[in-house]
């Protein structure tokens, strides 16, 4: 879901609830500026964007297991 920064500011609570279910992209001046998603979730594009950079024996489970906590 896309929302302007002004709309987000005026309806913060509503968009926090929506972000629990789907990603909310906040725009300013018609440009994507922020992404709001639930804590602990990740976009599949994050790992896919590393294709060809990471060694071939690295997989999503290993990345998430090695992630620092806290």
């Amino acid at each position: 879901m896309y929302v302007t920064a002004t709309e987000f500011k005026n309806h913060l609570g509503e968009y926090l609830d929506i972000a629990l279910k789907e990603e909310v992209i906040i725009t300013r001046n018609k440009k994507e500026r922020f992404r709001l998603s639930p804590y602990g979730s990740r976009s599949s594009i994050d790992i896919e964007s590393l294709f060809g950079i990471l060694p071939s024996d690295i997989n999503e489970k290993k990345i998430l297991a090695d992630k620092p906590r806290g």
Side-chain angles (χ1 to χ4, degrees):
M1 164 180 275
Y2 282 79
V3 62
T4 66
T6 301
E7 174 73 11
F8 180 76
K9 182 178 81 168
N10 291 337
H11 301 280
L12 175 63
E14 181 180 331
Y15 288 108
L16 291 178
D17 290 340
I18 291 171
L20 291 172
K21 299 175 186 126
E22 66 179 287
E23 188 174 80
V24 176
I25 306 295
I26 303 164
T27 63
R28 180 179 282 165
N29 297 324
K30 299 182 182 179
K31 295 181 182 177
E32 297 172 346
R33 297 295 182 173
F34 305 97
R35 176 181 14 191
L36 183 63
S37 58
Y39 181 79
S41 70
R42 60 123 186 100
S43 174
S44 60
I45 196 167
D46 295 337
I47 291 175
E48 290 172 8
S49 67
L50 298 174
F51 181 76
I53 297 172
L54 294 176
S56 61
D57 64 336
I58 300 293
N59 60 34
E60 181 177 346
K61 287 183 180 180
K62 178 151 179 52
I63 291 170
L64 295 176
D66 292 344
K67 181 180 173 184
R69 300 193 187 252

